[in-house]
């Protein structure tokens, strides 16, 4: 499983090398994704959403999350 400091697989499929990070959506849920300075949130890489940022950070650090295969 991809871990922190790895590039997002879905971002790579779109030609962008962007590191994985914890992001939040408009509903206040946290996910593992990528962020582009030009485009903002770029991809959601994790299948999961978490209620708390620390839960998503822990999943990213430990590699205990599920990679999405498609956009």
């Amino acid at each position: 499983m991809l871990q922190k400091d790895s590039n997002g697989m879905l971002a790579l499929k779109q030609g962008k090398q962007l590191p994985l990070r914890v992001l939040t959506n408009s509903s206040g849920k946290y996910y593992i994704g990528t962020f582009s300075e030009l485009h903002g949130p770029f991809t959601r890489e994790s299948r999961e959403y978490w209620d708390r940022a620390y839960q998503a950070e822990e999943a990213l650090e430990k590699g205990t999350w599920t990679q999405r295969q498609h956009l």
Side-chain angles (χ1 to χ4, degrees), residues 2 8 16 44 48-50 63 65 68 70-71:
L2 296 173
K16 303 285 185 189
R44 179 170 64 91
E48 301 87 354
Y49 285 103
W50 293 269
W65 59 280
R68 291 177 69 212
H70 306 284
L71 294 173

Side-chain angles (χ1 to χ4, degrees), residues 5 21 24 26 34 61 64:
D5 300 325
R21 60 193 284 184
T24 186
S26 60
T34 61
E61 289 287 335
T64 57

Side-chain angles (χ1 to χ4, degrees), residues 4 21-24 28-32 48-65:
K4 192 172 187 175
R21 60 193 284 184
V22 172
L23 300 167
T24 186
K29 297 287 187 178
Y30 296 88
Y31 63 95
I32 296 168
E48 301 87 354
Y49 285 103
W50 293 269
D51 293 326
R52 304 276 186 259
Y54 77 87
Q55 295 168 316
E57 285 285 350
E58 184 176 281
L60 181 56
E61 289 287 335
K62 293 182 177 181
T64 57
W65 59 280

